[in-house]
Amino acid sequence: MDQGFFLLFATVSVITALTVVLARNPVHSALALMACFLQISAIFVLLEAPLLAVIQIFVYVGAIMVLFLFVIMMIDVREAVLQRFVPGGNLPALVLLVLLGVEMLVLVLLSERFSVTEPVATRGGEIRALSTTLFADYLLPFEVASVILLAALVGAIVLARKESG
Amino acid sequence: MMVPLWWYISLAVVLFVIGAAGVLLRRNILVVLMSLELLLNSVNINFIAFGRYYYDDFRGQVFAIFVIAITAAEVAVALGILVALVRNKSTLKVDDVTMMKG
């Protein structure tokens, strides 16, 4: 049951990820990336992390992709649409990528530590326990992350503002 | 039937390689930024999978939450830079952005 769902979500996410890279139109890339994020959030549900799945949909699909689509709308992509994807255009990078992928897959498949099938005690996704952990043990990183978000907010406004302002 | 851990790791590897291909081979800045998002998401899958299969606490999920927060900040700044760039120099190709002579 779980395995069937995993295979379904994994297949669709890989196909949509390939579409992101191969599509010529950035709008098509953005929509395919949105579908890919939805599949990944379904995989988070399979991993019994429901809060992460909801955050994934809110933040990525709801905020980041809308930001991308707004920027695509603002700037003129007609010139960029015309350039096509040439895999042979950058041969060293392509060879490096193939080597990287083969190496990682071989290491994962040959290692015995990755073959565990039983997760540790199933927690059923206790969001209360997760938030207690987040706000008790990881309070300082949480506050640092919020300060970083504030700095990014101010920085984005300053960067995108017109010079004369 | 439970899903073995290496399935998740393999999926993350495949997504990571696809995202890296987008970063290295595409010349469109928007697609490069979207591929970066893909990279960070594949790493998130790894965090949550390892946290679920090896540890009894929530360290994997907490780390994934931080990754998502930092990603949001990164995208906001990157798109701000992109808007400023397009305003000054009307191009979307990474090869044309050589103002700093790097």
Side-chain angles (χ1 to χ4, degrees):
Chain A
M1 180 80 170
D2 272 7
Q3 292 187 347
F5 275 124
F6 176 84
L7 287 177
L8 175 69
F9 297 142
T11 312
V12 177
S13 68
V14 167
I15 290 172
T16 48
L18 280 174
T19 312
V20 171
V21 176
L22 294 177
R24 291 174 61 187
N25 194 331
V27 180
H28 297 167
S29 289
L31 292 177
L33 192 59
M34 210 180 267
C36 187
F37 286 159
L38 282 175
Q39 304 305 315
I40 291 177
S41 88
I43 284 175
F44 287 172
V45 173
L46 280 186
L47 280 167
E48 290 193 12
L51 183 68
L52 260 297
V54 173
I55 289 179
Q56 170 94 2
I57 291 182
F58 278 177
V59 174
Y60 278 105
V61 182
I64 292 182
M65 293 318 298
V66 170
L67 205 60
F68 264 108
L69 287 175
F70 264 121
V71 171
I72 292 175
M73 267 167 43
M74 273 173 59
I75 61 186
D76 189 16
V77 294
R78 266 172 297 177
E79 181 212 2
V81 168
L82 290 178
Q83 46 179 318
R84 57 174 63 245
F85 177 63
V86 191
N90 196 345
L91 199 59
L94 199 63
V95 172
L96 195 69
L97 281 173
V98 172
L99 278 179
L100 178 75
V102 170
E103 181 197 4
M104 285 198 288
L105 276 181
V106 164
L107 286 180
V108 167
L109 294 183
L110 292 187
S111 169
E112 290 171 359
R113 291 204 67 190
F114 294 141
S115 58
V116 286
T117 51
E118 283 302 311
V120 290
T122 52
R123 302 174 299 245
E126 302 165 18
I127 295 176
R128 180 188 296 269
L130 171 62
S131 53
T132 307
T133 311
L134 181 62
F135 286 108
D137 299 343
Y138 297 90
L139 185 60
L140 181 65
F142 184 82
E143 296 296 337
V144 171
S146 60
V147 172
I148 289 177
L149 275 174
L150 179 66
L153 175 73
V154 176
I157 292 174
V158 170
L159 279 170
R161 201 183 46 173
K162 283 222 190 297
E163 293 295 327
S164 59
Chain B
M1 267 207 296
M2 299 306 295
V3 183
L5 175 60
W6 65 271
W7 285 23
Y8 290 109
I9 311 298
S10 306
L11 172 68
V13 166
V14 172
L15 287 181
F16 189 89
V17 170
I18 293 174
V23 171
L24 289 176
L25 299 178
R26 286 299 298 253
R27 298 270 72 91
N28 190 329
I29 298 177
L30 278 165
V31 181
V32 169
L33 284 177
M34 289 183 215
S35 304
L36 272 177
E37 302 303 306
L38 206 55
L39 287 179
L40 289 160
N41 255 285
S42 72
V43 174
N44 266 348
I45 295 178
N46 267 359
F47 274 132
I48 298 177
F50 278 122
R52 171 144 165 71
Y53 279 83
Y54 279 148
Y55 296 107
D56 206 7
D57 54 4
F58 292 96
R59 64 182 80 182
Q61 296 190 34
V62 169
F63 217 105
I65 289 176
F66 288 136
V67 170
I68 289 177
I70 301 304
T71 306
E74 173 247 330
V75 166
V77 174
L79 289 178
I81 292 176
L82 182 62
V83 169
L85 172 77
V86 171
R87 183 177 297 142
N88 289 324
K89 187 172 170 35
S90 177
T91 181
L92 270 181
K93 292 183 191 159
V94 278
D95 294 332
D96 293 345
V97 187
T98 55
M99 278 172 281
M100 295 178 83
K101 308 291 180 210

